[in-house]
Amino acid sequence: MSFSIGIVGLPNVGKSTIFNAITGESANCSNFPFCTIDPNKAIVPVPDDTLEAISKYVKTGKVTPTTLEVIDIAGLIEGSHKGEGLGNQFLSFIQKVDAIAHIVRLFDDPHISHIGALNPERDLDVVETELKLKDLEILRKRMKSIEKKAHSGDKEAREEFNILNLLEKKISNNDWVKVNTLSEEEKSAARRIGLISVKPEMVIANVDETMLKKSSDKLNELKKYSSSKKMEVIPVSAKIEEELRELQNEERNQFLLEYGIEKGSLERLILEGYKLLNLITFYTFNENELRAWTLQKGDSVLDAASKVHTDMAKGFIKAAVIPAEIFLEHKSIKDVKEKGFLRIEGKDCIVNDRDIIYIHFK
């Protein structure tokens, strides 16, 4: 598994329809609140032109792209953190994802119910608040369980209590608290107890087709508001995406271009996911498999080895590294070696995006 994104939002904002559009699944998307009971899950291959290009010049048994897991979580409402609606049951699913995609509704349709007047900024705040309130509940419960030990001289418990207390204050004050703003100790504590609101987030605006073709005040206001919260907005029309599912790739791409859209919803979601999670792609291959992997930007060749197999990391000797563009220019490992472009690196070498890596290990 490479990374996962959880789709959240109020009931009837188009989560399941957009989930179907992104994944090609057929989740129920009827017009009533809490249509989604059990979270819908799908694993989709990440489109990768570089992987496809490499596959033309290597002899291997199979080609395996990296993947994205998409989880469509039931509609949240005010009070979800206390179990209102289908709250606690589904907030627990959000704890497991790497990033969150908020679906907010910008289209107006009297035939599809909505909680209150159409107000995407308010809807976004409702869900954000529920995530923060759930985190405060998680933090306070953990702090209460270790408080006696922390005050009795247990150094480890005291350090954890202090870190959790700091996180609790930041979230209570409505500070901007995300993984990339936390110290290593805070990150570790947040992940260990499953905090939700610290996860990287994006906004998917479910718009009508007119908003795709021309400037929209509603969409511009949402973009400005989301920008203040450091969240990127991806405009998607669930209605149009449903129609696109019936088309072949060439027709689909032509249809998108008519609306000024260069990439489909899946590609845009993946690109934003990579950006939010600071990910890169690297490749490995042998006679059995050519495979794409994801890695954190700034990670080393040893981290890449560990990603492939723990035995590779334990017995690591060295790594042969070739940038994919160099390989594709010469079209064979033999040619790359002869021309001196194959680099032999130690375990501390930083992996670059689109590196091809061959790991030597005991």
Side-chain angles (χ1 to χ4, degrees), residues 195-234:
L195 295 188
I196 303 166
S197 65
V198 301
K199 294 178 185 290
E201 298 171 297
M202 68 181 85
V203 177
I204 298 178
N206 190 359
V207 302
D208 61 40
E209 60 184 83
T210 61
M211 293 180 188
L212 293 176
K213 287 186 172 182
K214 62 181 182 180
S215 179
S216 158
D217 289 341
K218 280 185 183 178
L219 184 56
N220 290 335
E221 285 168 13
L222 176 63
K223 285 180 177 179
K224 184 177 178 181
Y225 184 75
S226 299
S227 178
S228 71
K229 292 176 171 288
K230 299 180 175 65
M231 287 190 270
E232 189 72 26
V233 175
I234 303 173

Side-chain angles (χ1 to χ4, degrees), residues 349-361:
C349 169
I350 300 301
V351 178
N352 293 313
D353 191 31
R354 310 289 164 179
D355 273 349
I356 299 171
I357 303 174
Y358 184 83
I359 299 157
H360 298 263
F361 66 105

Side-chain angles (χ1 to χ4, degrees), residues 270-303:
I270 288 169
L271 285 171
E272 185 58 26
Y274 265 69
K275 179 179 162 186
L276 278 178
L277 296 168
N278 206 27
L279 299 176
I280 61 172
T281 302
F282 74 95
Y283 307 96
T284 60
F285 70 82
N286 55 29
E287 67 277 6
N288 297 317
E289 183 180 31
L290 163 63
R291 183 164 181 170
W293 307 80
T294 52
L295 195 67
Q296 285 278 309
K297 193 180 290 184
D299 277 356
S300 68
V301 165
L302 188 63
D303 294 317

